[in-house]
Amino acid sequence: RDLFKRFIYVGRDYPLPPPYVRDKAREAILKNKDLTDAREIIEAVKRGRWMVKEIIGVIQLKKYRALKKRYYDDRDADPTGTLAQKAKDEFGV
């Protein structure tokens, strides 16, 4: 129950729409609903928590790329190098 809530909460910022994340989480949880061995249940929960961390990583990458795109042009891959080049172009140094 807690794991599904984590998926829903984290899935709000996922690049794909929230229903996609909800459906995939529900599908994975229902696939493992018949597990009875304690070790298998623990492994399934660990795998689910790992997936939540992976989703968080994708979200952070999406936010980083959006932030980088906002402040740098496509040709400005290295901010320090571009500042030096802009100074050369502007002041003839």
Side-chain angles (χ1 to χ4, degrees):
R1 181 176 174 185
D2 179 54
L3 187 59
F4 186 73
K5 286 183 180 182
R6 288 183 194 187
F7 272 108
I8 298 301
Y9 182 75
V10 169
R12 295 184 303 173
D13 292 332
Y14 193 69
L16 296 175
Y20 174 81
V21 176
R22 183 187 64 230
D23 293 342
K24 288 294 184 180
R26 181 177 291 140
E27 178 183 308
I29 289 173
L30 290 177
K31 182 178 81 173
N32 294 321
K33 72 178 182 177
D34 296 327
L35 295 179
T36 54
D37 184 29
R39 182 172 288 156
E40 290 177 352
I41 293 171
I42 290 170
E43 288 298 318
V45 170
K46 282 183 183 179
R47 191 169 43 249
R49 289 182 179 159
W50 178 79
M51 286 304 300
V52 169
K53 289 178 185 176
E54 286 292 313
I55 291 173
I56 290 171
V58 169
I59 292 168
Q60 289 174 342
L61 182 63
K62 178 188 89 163
K63 288 179 179 181
Y64 169 76
R65 285 180 177 169
L67 185 70
K68 188 174 175 183
K69 189 176 183 181
R70 232 176 261 144
Y71 288 102
Y72 303 113
D73 295 337
D74 289 337
R75 60 186 169 82
D76 295 342
D78 180 23
T80 56
T82 57
L83 290 175
Q85 185 62 34
K86 286 179 183 177
K88 283 183 181 179
D89 294 343
E90 192 170 322
F91 299 112
V93 175

